[in-house]
Amino acid sequence: MTAPLTPHEPPHDSSHDPSQVPPHGLVHRETADGAADGAADGPGLHVELRQAAVVAAVVSVAGVLLGLLWVWLAPRVPLISDGKAVYLKATEGEQAIGADGTFVLLAVGFGAVSAALVFWFRRRGGIPLVIGLALGSLLASAIGWRLGVWLGPSSDVAASARAAGRGVVFDAPLRLAAKGALLFWPLSAMAVHLGLTAAFGPRDPEPDWAAPGLPPKP
């Protein structure tokens, strides 16, 4: 017997199969899109860091206004001297607590306003922008505190008592007894910015779950 003369089928080569060949330009587009995305990530991060630095600087400068308003609005603590010692004129007065409360209320207001302005001008800001807002707010609180103490009544109580004279009321130095008040500006800014972002921030587009082989939904 002799073997049939039917030729053997050539081995299947997927490289010549039209069904396995991707559409023209698909590989090129994917590569180009990947390169474009990678190129966009680098400059995007640099831009966000630069914007965060600008936000931190501008917000920290606003601490000067906080200090000025604190000096203007904070109640004064009256002192009196008998020539030998200095005493509180009103032992049951709440002026010292009022100074801390005034600072807290101003800090909360400044935090809300600064967060609203940052969200308004940089609605698509990322994590670096939020960190810049928090650091700038904390620095602004410290600037407002130190500026208020510096512009307020003299911290040299003995010299102020001698200058005022015996039995004459004079103002005590402006102090921030509760140092935790410095955190109210950044806490207020973070809370307001988070609320605005959750309510009015941009939304990511919903994914299109088209079935294989079917065109995506319009």
Side-chain angles (χ1 to χ4, degrees):
M1 296 179 63
T2 60
L5 300 178
T6 304
H8 295 284
E9 294 183 359
H12 181 71
D13 189 358
S14 60
S15 62
H16 299 285
D17 189 353
S19 63
Q20 302 297 328
V21 178
H24 177 68
L26 178 60
V27 176
H28 175 71
R29 284 198 304 271
E30 292 179 351
T31 304
D33 293 343
D37 293 341
D41 290 342
L45 180 59
H46 293 161
V47 171
E48 288 185 1
L49 292 176
R50 185 167 60 251
Q51 292 177 354
V54 172
V55 167
V58 172
V59 173
S60 62
V61 171
V64 175
L65 184 57
L66 171 63
L68 295 175
L69 289 176
W70 187 40
V71 173
W72 181 35
L73 298 175
R76 296 292 186 263
V77 179
L79 300 178
I80 191 170
S81 172
D82 61 358
K84 297 181 180 179
V86 177
Y87 305 94
L88 287 171
K89 184 177 184 299
T91 56
E92 297 180 357
E94 298 180 355
Q95 290 85 352
I97 299 176
D100 286 10
T102 302
F103 187 92
V104 168
L105 292 177
L106 289 173
V108 170
F110 274 95
V113 172
S114 60
L117 291 177
V118 169
F119 179 79
W120 177 266
F121 289 106
R122 293 291 183 267
R123 183 167 298 187
R124 292 184 175 273
I127 294 179
L129 190 70
V130 176
I131 295 176
L133 176 60
L135 294 178
S137 301
L138 184 60
L139 183 58
S141 293
I143 292 175
W145 165 47
R146 298 309 305 171
L147 182 63
V149 172
W150 181 60
L151 294 178
S154 175
S155 58
D156 191 346
V157 177
S160 299
R162 288 193 300 268
R166 181 177 181 180
V168 179
V169 178
F170 62 97
D171 294 331
L174 184 61
R175 294 177 179 174
L176 189 64
K179 297 304 186 291
L182 298 174
L183 299 177
F184 277 84
W185 187 330
L187 290 177
S188 174
M190 293 297 97
V192 172
H193 192 275
L194 178 62
L196 292 175
T197 302
F200 307 106
R203 299 291 188 271
D204 294 333
E206 296 183 358
D208 190 5
W209 302 104
L214 296 179
K217 296 180 181 179

